[in-house]
Amino acid sequence: SSDQAALIFISLVAVLLLAESPRIVKEPEQLVGIPSGWEAVEKLSSKDLTHFVIAIRQSNLKDLERTLLDVSNPSSPRYGKYMSFDEVNELVRPSADDVDVIVQWLQENGVSVDNSCSFSVAGDFLSCYVSHSHIKRLFNVELSRFVHAKSQVSVVRSLEHYTLPSDVHQVVDFVGGLLRFPDMSAHDKKANPKAAIGVTPDVLRHRYNISKVVGNNDANSQAVAGFLKQYAHEKDLLEFFAEFGLFFHHRDKLSKIVGSMGLLSGVEASLDVEYIMSTGANISTEFWSMAGTHEGQEPFLEWMLLIANTSDAPHVHSASYGDVESSLDVTFMQRVNTEFQKAGVRGISILFASGDDGAGCNNNASAFEPNFPASSPFVTAVGGTEFGISSAHELGNFISSGGFSNVFEQPTWQSAAVSTFLTSPNHHLPPASFYNAKGRAYPDVSAASSGFWVVSNLVPLPGVAGTSCAAPTFSGVIALLNDARLSAGKPTLGFLNPLIYSSAHASPLTDIVDGCNAGCSEAAGFCAVQGWDPVTGMGVPNYVAMQTAWV
């Protein structure tokens, strides 16, 4: 009868409504598996607690990018008119409907959001601390504990991609703490006593035309990030400046340490702090330690969240962290770019070491391999140089990572400089099949990256090398320029790249025209030439010229 048919239909609809939404793989392009240097220790039990972070879909992203480009373009009437912390948070705040979808899904799976989770200030990240049994229900994965043999850092991760119900999938960018293993390259930083020239603060201050200039504005600030048991101790700072800081005024202490500190210093962290405080001398300096409160936390994600949640974040951040683009999901990288944009519209400068792999090489040696976040259009990537027989002769370092993104389009602010490089008849380019000439090109700038003296655990170490030498060196110069701008009643420099490339025909940077980076298989890398190049960018600092042009 028609009544029976109607009842059957209603029953079927009820079953369909009660059924869970189809599940969809999230971050399908994210590389999974155990990286070199890590080993599996044990699977988690159902009661073991772990941590995850949901990146919730944000609002008004086109407005955010448009605003960033306006306030960062020196020819724009809005140049330097940054947004406040509260304004940025309100701009990107997710819709209430999107948040409700996530909260309801968590609660239906037994997670008490009020007790186990916390939202970021903008409401665009949700951090939760739950049992492994909840993780299995939510994401359909098993987690195991892994240990990095050299550093003894432990993490909890899945070796399979996680899935989300389709309705949740639509409102989530990614979930942190499930897939990505942290970059441990900082633990490989070594001294090399055979380095050609000993680089000290005085060498850099002379070479980069800083002389005795130091900061003196109380409103100024700079910071370096320390990842995964990389700590910087003030006893090392005192020893370092007693040895190498006799001829300029400087501070001997960090103004603030964010996060936990371990007993031993790391060479990477010591290097970063000692040299940002040498070029950016006498400026309030913070050390942000991303040790990871829980094994589920991703240190890089933790760092981004800290910038996003800190209303008085320092004006300049130097970071030495990265991975190859091909190992990361595009949606993840795009969300990271949004976090960089959120910082830029607040007037914050973020500088990343470009990497130490030259042009890079993919698994089958058929193409170059770009690094991220250096390849992000929304950070300033710092490549590496080295000194020849004297500090007056500077050339591109073969380790200096640089090239072209395979993910991000080439921004308009660098297209003229990059086109000049690609079309110049005066140099040989690698085979066109090895790189994406239309991609975001990096690095943007460079600085010395080998032969550095560093004090770590009270021991002076010679010959430390890597673009992680260059990033804090250049960052300190930017902080020094911010100091002069603030003292003149002007805003900080903020997102630097449009400014760096705007003066391409009369750049205040010192152009580097010698040296090539390492290539891949039979393809040579790129070489430094007049103007921009994928080894040294637009060049190395010249403080006096930069002060004249940018202050």
Side-chain angles (χ1 to χ4, degrees):
S1 70
S2 60
D3 288 344
Q4 287 177 319
L7 283 171
I8 292 171
F9 175 75
I10 291 169
S11 299
L12 286 171
V13 170
V15 169
L16 289 171
L17 288 172
L18 288 171
E20 187 181 9
S21 302
R23 297 189 72 93
I24 300 175
V25 174
K26 198 71 182 175
E27 299 187 74
E29 297 165 328
Q30 175 67 47
L31 193 67
V32 295
I34 307 176
S36 175
W38 294 86
E39 49 190 51
V41 178
E42 60 183 351
K43 286 190 174 182
L44 264 61
S45 74
S46 61
K47 293 182 180 179
D48 283 334
L49 297 177
T50 191
H51 179 264
F52 65 87
V53 178
I54 299 175
I56 306 170
R57 182 172 64 182
Q58 297 155 310
S59 304
N60 304 310
L61 296 185
K62 289 184 179 178
D63 290 343
L64 176 68
E65 183 171 352
R66 190 181 305 114
T67 302
L68 175 67
L69 296 178
D70 281 345
V71 300
S72 307
N73 180 357
S75 62
S76 167
R78 294 186 64 187
Y79 181 62
K81 296 179 180 178
Y82 300 125
M83 299 180 74
S84 71
F85 178 68
D86 291 336
E87 287 171 339
V88 176
N89 290 329
E90 287 309 309
L91 180 68
V92 302
R93 189 172 299 281
S95 74
D97 289 344
D98 286 359
V99 174
D100 286 345
V101 168
I102 293 168
V103 170
Q104 183 177 345
W105 166 64
L106 291 171
Q107 290 175 338
E108 287 173 351
N109 284 277
V111 176
S112 171
V113 174
D114 290 340
N115 295 325
S116 302
C117 304
S118 60
F119 283 96
S120 61
V121 175
D124 52 355
F125 286 102
L126 182 62
S127 302
C128 298
Y129 194 47
V130 301
S131 70
H132 184 215
S133 61
H134 285 116
I135 295 285
K136 288 193 284 188
R137 285 205 299 273
L138 290 166
F139 305 112
N140 201 25
V141 293
E142 290 271 358
L143 298 182
S144 298
R145 181 170 285 107
F146 301 86
V147 173
H148 187 255
K150 183 174 181 179
S151 66
Q152 292 302 297
V153 167
S154 66
V155 298
V156 168
R157 294 290 185 267
S158 168
L159 295 180
E160 296 180 335
H161 287 99
Y162 62 97
T163 62
L164 297 174
S166 59
D167 57 334
V168 178
H169 176 276
Q170 291 176 10
V171 300
V172 169
D173 288 334
F174 69 87
V175 180
L178 299 180
L179 299 181
R180 278 170 294 280
F181 282 75
D183 169 42
M184 303 304 295
S185 58
H187 291 269
D188 297 328
K189 191 69 68 183
K190 298 182 180 72
N192 174 17
K194 297 180 181 179
I197 184 171
V199 176
T200 66
D202 287 328
V203 169
L204 296 175
R205 292 179 73 84
H206 173 74
R207 170 63 186 167
Y208 297 144
N209 215 3
I210 302 170
S211 187
K212 296 187 181 298
V213 177
V214 300
N216 56 28
N217 193 299
D218 291 338
N220 199 14
S221 55
Q222 59 188 5
V224 296
F227 296 105
L228 295 160
K229 294 190 176 182
Q230 281 289 318
Y231 305 113
H233 288 297
E234 289 176 347
K235 62 187 180 187
D236 291 330
L237 268 177
L238 286 167
E239 178 71 18
F240 177 79
F241 283 125
E243 292 271 356
F244 305 116
L246 300 179
F247 302 107
F248 62 98
H249 186 61
H250 54 78
R251 300 188 181 198
D252 291 327
K253 291 186 176 181
L254 292 159
S255 59
K256 189 175 183 180
I257 297 172
V258 178
S260 60
M261 293 296 278
L263 292 175
L264 296 176
S265 308
V267 176
E268 174 76 66
S270 301
L271 162 74
D272 290 351
V273 166
E274 287 162 10
Y275 280 90
I276 200 172
M277 293 180 70
S278 294
T279 51
N282 202 42
I283 293 171
S284 173
T285 306
E286 299 183 11
F287 181 71
W288 288 22
S289 174
M290 303 297 108
T293 310
H294 305 300
E295 291 169 312
Q297 282 184 335
E298 297 181 31
F300 178 64
L301 176 57
E302 187 185 357
W303 174 74
M304 287 194 311
L305 266 164
L306 189 57
I307 292 178
N309 282 335
T310 304
S311 59
D312 59 346
H315 301 307
V316 174
H317 290 259
S318 175
S320 301
Y321 196 88
D323 215 330
V324 294
E325 274 186 354
S326 62
S327 72
L328 301 169
D329 188 86
V330 172
T331 305
F332 169 78
M333 291 188 279
Q334 288 171 337
R335 176 56 182 261
V336 171
N337 281 348
T338 300
E339 296 309 307
F340 294 147
Q341 292 174 50
K342 284 166 58 180
V345 295
R346 292 168 57 193
I348 295 171
S349 303
I350 297 181
L351 296 91
F352 268 87
S354 71
D356 300 338
D357 307 315
C361 201
N362 68 4
N363 288 335
N364 58 10
S366 62
F368 296 147
E369 184 75 271
N371 288 334
F372 183 84
S375 67
S376 165
F378 303 105
V379 302
T380 299
V382 186
T385 63
E386 58 183 337
F387 298 130
I389 55 173
S390 74
S391 63
H393 180 223
E394 196 167 352
L395 63 157
N397 194 336
F398 76 98
I399 65 171
S400 179
S401 288
F404 298 82
S405 172
N406 290 323
V407 176
F408 307 112
E409 293 181 2
Q410 198 169 105
T412 54
W413 37 257
Q414 70 169 181
S415 58
V418 176
S419 176
T420 299
F421 169 79
L422 291 172
T423 57
S424 173
N426 299 324
H427 63 95
H428 295 287
L429 290 170
S433 61
F434 271 74
Y435 60 96
N436 170 29
K438 295 182 179 180
R440 178 323 200 223
Y442 75 102
D444 303 295
V445 295
S446 54
S449 62
S450 66
F452 277 51
W453 277 96
V454 175
V455 172
S456 189
N457 298 305
L458 296 179
V459 178
L461 303 170
V464 176
T467 54
S468 51
C469 300
T473 296
F474 204 100
S475 296
V477 176
I478 297 301
L480 210 56
L481 293 164
N482 277 343
D483 205 275
R485 286 181 63 87
L486 291 168
S487 296
K490 297 184 177 185
T492 56
L493 288 169
F495 175 48
L496 298 166
N497 294 1
L499 175 65
I500 289 168
Y501 291 90
S502 69
S503 49
H505 298 294
S507 175
L509 302 175
T510 302
D511 195 9
I512 303 299
V513 297
D514 293 316
C516 305
N517 62 11
C520 172
S521 183
E522 297 177 2
F526 299 99
C527 292
V529 296
Q530 187 173 356
W532 179 87
D533 56 70
V535 186
T536 64
M538 292 296 293
V540 298
N542 178 340
Y543 177 77
V544 171
M546 295 165 81
Q547 202 265 359
T548 300
W550 295 354
V551 179

